[in-house]
Amino acid sequence: MDAVISGIGVALPPATAQDDIWDGYFAHHYTGARHGLARRIFANAGVRTRQAVVSPLLEDVANWSTERRMRRYQAEAVPLGKAAVDRALADAGVAAGDLGLFAVCSCTGYATPGLDILLARDLGMSPNVQRLFVGHMGCYAALPGLGTVSDFVVARGRPALLLCAELTSLHLQPPGARADIQQIVSHALFSDAAAAVVVTPQDQNHPGYAVRELAAITDTSTADHMTWEVTDLGFRMGLSPKVPAVLAAHVRGLVDQVLSTHGRSIADVDGWAVHPGGPKILDVVQERLGLPAAALAESRAVLAAHGNCSSPTVLLVLNELRRRPVPPQRIVMLAFGPGLTLYVTLLEGSTLAA
């Protein structure tokens, strides 16, 4: 039995132009020598618009306590996550009560009862549904989450659902809080989103993408290159400029390993869902894999329209690939995050995987 992605749902908060965010807030947030540097970083981030549940143009959360941010997280994440899950279930033609497993990935907020409990209740899931909450895996969390729900579907023969929901806008940092280049980059890139996928046992009457392979590599010697610290003023991002170089050292080998397991090569892949962590990351992946510019068009489009939304972002790219006039039949998904960790997933149209 194959586990098949049979439905995808996306929910986004209101959008604001990157230039408006700069002019209306960050141009005054950074002063002195940092102002010119920050302006260049914002202009070169590859982002045109971003979504936020809390826009800095309307509410300045920079000096909010972590407690206040977490209360707002729950108030905003529940309706956003519900919208994404509703759309994924409708897309798959699956009832909430039929789910055997509901998994949630989020690293931008915590509460108990959590999103998994509250959404299972509000959406009418069975009281017997199994639940899993995954936190602090960051931008790559969607892929191990997808692997977990897929394993459940294969083992139990029941549908499962994965929700990734991130509200990075709640973690705006005050200008005096380590306002170095890493903090400026995170403020220029990150955004909010929720994305959900329904995974079901293979059914030829409902085509989708079979999850064929999943692999990971973690370079623990570079663990300090990407950090997410809980502070009294929210969560603070650390993002080293060395990250693209680490990915360059590992991405080709892991992609080749996953494809060769199924007797495939890069030339056999007609869809690339690459997490757009930033323009340089996409450039490195394109160069190391020897891909034409068009291969990462959807990843660059998602970065431009939505920024880096952490864990949901690679699912946003997958959704864009699925909406091509002729959808790709073989997709490689790549996502990166703390560790440094690289995850690769191979999807095949369910007719190919049969």
Side-chain angles (χ1 to χ4, degrees):
M1 181 191 297
D2 282 311
V4 175
I5 296 173
S6 56
I8 301 178
V10 170
L12 302 168
T16 306
Q18 178 87 326
D19 288 345
D20 291 344
I21 295 173
W22 170 259
D23 293 336
Y25 183 82
F26 285 102
H28 315 289
H29 191 74
Y30 295 113
T31 59
R34 293 177 300 180
H35 183 275
L37 173 63
R39 180 71 187 95
R40 290 192 297 274
I41 290 172
F42 269 72
N44 295 319
V47 180
R48 292 196 308 269
T49 57
R50 286 191 283 164
Q51 291 76 36
V53 297
V54 179
S55 168
L57 301 180
L58 302 175
E59 293 181 87
D60 187 351
V61 305
N63 289 295
W64 282 17
S65 69
T66 300
E67 178 185 1
R68 188 175 178 186
R69 297 178 200 232
M70 293 302 94
R71 292 186 184 280
R72 186 64 174 269
Y73 169 87
Q74 185 146 313
E76 300 285 355
V78 169
L80 195 69
K82 182 178 185 297
V85 171
D86 272 336
R87 291 164 188 165
L89 289 169
D91 189 36
V94 172
D98 293 335
L99 295 171
L101 173 66
F102 177 37
V104 178
C105 296
S106 185
C107 67
T108 50
Y110 294 101
T112 303
L115 292 184
D116 54 327
I117 296 173
L118 298 178
L119 291 175
R121 176 198 67 191
D122 293 350
L123 288 160
M125 296 182 193
S126 166
N128 301 120
V129 69
Q130 295 184 37
R131 292 176 291 98
L132 177 68
F133 187 94
V134 179
H136 270 272
M137 295 191 88
C139 293
Y140 67 88
L143 297 190
L146 179 60
T148 297
V149 297
S150 298
D151 288 346
F152 175 90
V153 169
V154 171
R156 307 292 179 85
R158 296 187 62 193
L161 189 144
L162 169 68
L163 169 67
C164 294
E166 304 290 7
L167 306 184
T168 66
S169 65
L170 289 172
H171 298 289
L172 177 64
Q173 294 293 293
R178 201 176 69 182
D180 56 17
I181 189 170
Q182 297 185 38
Q183 199 59 60
I184 296 171
V185 169
S186 67
H187 283 160
L189 281 173
F190 281 90
S191 186
D192 299 352
V197 292
V198 175
V199 181
T200 55
Q202 185 167 343
D203 178 357
Q204 294 304 314
N205 295 320
H206 197 130
Y209 285 104
V211 181
R212 301 291 282 156
E213 191 71 38
L214 187 137
I217 187 168
T218 299
D219 185 345
T220 54
S221 69
T222 62
D224 62 341
H225 286 13
M226 192 178 295
T227 58
W228 192 226
E229 301 172 85
V230 179
T231 77
D232 292 338
L233 298 173
F235 303 169
R236 185 171 59 209
M237 169 66 74
L239 191 62
S240 169
K242 298 177 182 178
V243 169
V246 178
L247 297 179
H250 298 292
V251 64
R252 180 60 185 255
L254 192 59
V255 169
D256 284 343
Q257 172 193 319
V258 166
L259 291 172
S260 64
T261 299
H262 295 271
R264 305 297 181 186
S265 68
I266 286 173
D268 297 314
V269 177
D270 58 345
W272 294 90
V274 180
H275 170 70
K280 290 183 179 178
I281 286 177
L282 293 177
D283 291 345
V284 161
V285 171
Q286 182 179 331
E287 187 275 328
R288 291 295 296 139
L289 299 182
L291 301 176
L296 299 188
E298 286 82 5
S299 290
R300 294 188 191 276
V302 165
L303 178 63
H306 307 299
N308 180 345
C309 312
S310 191
S311 64
T313 321
V314 72
L315 300 179
L316 301 185
V317 180
L318 176 62
N319 194 44
E320 290 301 310
L321 287 169
R322 201 176 61 136
R323 294 161 72 176
R324 282 182 183 175
V326 180
Q329 286 298 294
R330 189 170 287 112
I331 295 174
V332 168
M333 303 178 71
L334 297 97
F336 330 98
L340 287 172
T341 301
L342 165 61
Y343 260 84
V344 177
T345 301
L346 174 62
L347 308 179
E348 286 187 330
S350 53
T351 55
L352 288 180

